[in-house]
Amino acid sequence: MFLNKIKNFIIKKIVSKSLSNVRSVASDGTIKTVGIIYDESNLSGREDLILKLVKFGIEDSAIKVLVFRDNIKKKEVFNYSVFSNKEVSWSATFDKPELLSFVTTGFDLLINYYDIEKTPLVLVSHQSKAKFKVGFAAIDKRVNHFMIDANAQNCQVFVDELFKYLKILNKI
């Protein structure tokens, strides 16, 4: 427990230092691929979010989801990519191939669907090669290109606002 707090503190300092050097890059083009980073520890409804994205015209096969859980039991099996604090090393790198694949994929849109700032989530969001990152306003402003001031428990409001502004920005 104590070592986890020290590890989290070290990773947080690395991420904070890395975020101080962030440059905003404009992204052009429409959205065809979507990545979702989802915190499952205090939220439910991951399937609802995917269904709402499909309803707005994103293909189901073009959506890739990465779920963060605080604790993963050894015998637990998932049908989606899951990571925890254990997959992040002390030097803020990733040990799991699925996590590396997700971070290096150049999504057209990355949805950071978490409103509580946890170091592994911010690290994955920051290191992602996505062209356009969207998240909640409660998270560090340097992580996302576009922030929506909504509650994470109300998925419908988030998706409606997201697509309203994506239409304005000519992304869809």
Side-chain angles (χ1 to χ4, degrees):
M1 182 70 165
F2 182 70
L3 285 176
N4 284 337
K5 290 191 184 247
I6 293 173
K7 177 182 173 183
N8 198 26
F9 178 76
I10 291 170
I11 294 171
K12 195 172 195 172
K13 287 193 67 98
I14 292 170
V15 170
S16 178
K17 185 177 180 183
S18 179
L19 282 173
S20 66
N21 298 328
V22 172
R23 283 182 257 139
S24 181
V25 177
S27 67
D28 294 333
T30 60
I31 293 173
K32 294 179 179 66
T33 58
V34 176
I36 302 171
I37 300 174
Y38 190 84
D39 183 6
E40 197 173 74
S41 62
N42 59 352
L43 300 171
S44 61
R46 178 180 40 83
E47 289 83 17
D48 290 340
L49 178 62
I50 294 170
L51 288 174
K52 287 178 174 107
L53 289 172
V54 170
K55 178 183 160 194
F56 275 100
I58 305 292
E59 291 184 31
D60 191 30
S61 60
I63 300 172
K64 190 171 179 183
V65 180
L66 180 66
V67 177
F68 175 79
R69 296 186 79 176
D70 289 323
N71 296 317
I72 299 176
K73 297 175 184 164
K74 290 183 181 181
K75 303 275 182 185
E76 224 170 347
V77 178
F78 303 99
N79 57 355
Y80 47 87
S81 299
V82 178
F83 78 104
S84 69
N85 216 5
K86 292 180 182 179
E87 280 83 20
V88 180
S89 72
W90 284 72
S91 60
T93 58
F94 307 113
D95 300 332
K96 196 172 190 178
E98 294 170 350
L99 197 53
L100 283 169
S101 171
F102 187 89
V103 168
T104 57
T105 302
F107 296 109
D108 296 324
L109 173 67
L110 177 68
I111 299 174
N112 296 314
Y113 201 83
Y114 55 90
D115 62 351
I116 297 174
E117 196 168 307
K118 295 181 181 177
T119 307
L121 290 166
V122 174
L123 178 65
V124 171
S125 299
H126 173 61
Q127 289 189 356
S128 173
K129 303 295 183 215
K131 297 172 188 155
F132 191 66
K133 299 176 186 178
V134 176
F136 290 96
I139 304 302
D140 190 341
K141 309 300 183 226
R142 301 171 292 180
V143 175
N144 298 312
H145 298 117
F146 187 75
M147 288 139 307
I148 297 174
D149 191 14
N151 190 348
Q153 280 71 25
N154 194 345
C155 178
Q156 185 63 43
V157 171
F158 180 82
V159 173
D160 288 343
E161 289 293 311
L162 172 64
F163 279 93
K164 179 173 90 174
Y165 287 107
L166 288 177
K167 285 178 185 175
I168 292 170
L169 295 171
N170 292 326
K171 297 274 184 198
I172 53 172

